[in-house]
Amino acid sequence: MCKYFCKIETETKFIILMHPKEFKKVKNNTGHFTHQSLPNSELFIGIDFTDHKRINEIIQTHESYILFPSEHALNLTQTNPKTTQKPLAVFLIDSTWSCTGSIFHHSKNLQELPHMSFTTTKTSAYEIKEQPNEAYLSTIESTLVVLECLKAHGVEAIEEKSLELFLRPFYKMIAYQKALINNPMSNAVRYKRHK
């Protein structure tokens, strides 16, 4: 999928926190795609990030948020998150919802970060993976909405064409997986075919 990446340079730093189960499961996941598409991003694998030196350094030097829908989350669709001169940092948890809870439970530093969410009518195109709710988006789809909102607030200056191409590796991966699923001779896909 590497040839399909459309890299977007951002002032905002994106930090992808990947649960070890997600890392072991598949390397072609949307957390990896997000990291490869954003040069100003860092990816860390683990569960307890409380004493993680680099993550705590980012939290101290950036105006940091964690993308997580909660009652008190800042709605990025309506509100500009930039309130200081510090550069912006957005933490993204790349895992199943149950594993996300585990990362939150163990990482005391993440618990202290303000939450960020958004309002969108988009639904996930992740047809090969069942989402817990039709309103849930994959990591790379969520990141695109964040980028669109940051552009709308004037925090980022991103060309519209780059935003349009951001999900290209994601779409190509889905098409590739669907082709494998539809090939009865293929054993190269972890997908239960309905009989």
Side-chain angles (χ1 to χ4, degrees), residues 5-195:
F5 290 127
C6 176
K7 294 185 182 293
I8 295 179
E9 296 285 351
T10 60
E11 297 293 329
T12 304
K13 178 174 285 296
F14 288 85
I15 303 92
I16 299 106
L17 306 176
M18 187 177 293
H19 194 281
K21 286 184 179 178
E22 192 71 18
F23 175 75
K24 291 176 183 176
K25 189 166 52 179
V26 62
K27 301 301 185 291
N28 248 5
N29 75 354
T30 68
H32 282 292
F33 286 177
T34 303
H35 177 50
Q36 292 298 323
S37 300
L38 297 173
N40 191 13
S41 69
E42 298 183 42
L43 187 150
F44 303 100
I45 300 158
I47 298 174
D48 187 352
F49 296 101
T50 303
D51 299 316
H52 195 289
K53 182 179 178 181
R54 177 57 183 150
I55 288 175
N56 286 326
E57 182 181 86
I58 294 169
I59 291 173
Q60 289 298 316
T61 57
H62 290 69
E63 184 172 5
S64 300
Y65 293 86
I66 189 161
L67 189 65
F68 190 79
S70 68
E71 183 181 349
H72 302 291
L74 176 144
N75 189 330
L76 186 60
T77 309
Q78 302 168 350
T79 307
N80 187 333
K82 281 282 287 176
T83 61
T84 71
Q85 293 301 311
K86 287 183 176 181
L88 188 66
V90 178
F91 285 76
L92 310 166
I93 296 182
D94 185 62
S95 70
T96 62
W97 278 98
S98 59
C99 289
T100 295
S102 178
I103 290 175
F104 260 122
H105 175 74
H106 288 92
S107 303
K108 306 304 180 188
N109 50 352
L110 300 182
Q111 293 174 15
E112 297 173 1
L113 294 180
H115 295 180
M116 172 188 284
S117 66
F118 51 73
T119 306
T120 182
T121 57
K122 294 182 180 182
T123 56
S124 181
Y126 214 161
E127 303 169 47
I128 60 172
K129 184 176 181 181
E130 186 175 341
Q131 301 289 357
N133 183 296
E134 65 176 11
Y136 291 179
L137 300 177
S138 67
T139 301
I140 194 167
E141 291 172 304
S142 296
T143 303
L144 176 60
V145 177
V146 171
L147 291 171
E148 291 171 337
C149 290
L150 292 176
K151 179 183 178 181
H153 290 305
V155 176
E156 296 289 348
I158 305 170
E159 292 183 8
E160 195 62 36
K161 185 67 174 178
S162 296
L163 291 173
E164 291 172 3
L165 294 175
F166 187 67
L167 296 182
R168 184 170 58 177
F170 173 62
Y171 292 142
K172 294 292 185 181
M173 181 266 290
I174 292 172
Y176 173 74
Q177 292 286 350
K178 287 174 72 174
L180 291 177
I181 291 166
N182 292 328
N183 179 1
M185 303 303 291
S186 174
N187 292 316
V189 63
R190 297 177 297 101
Y191 186 89
K192 187 175 181 181
R193 295 183 177 87
H194 296 288
K195 297 180 178 179

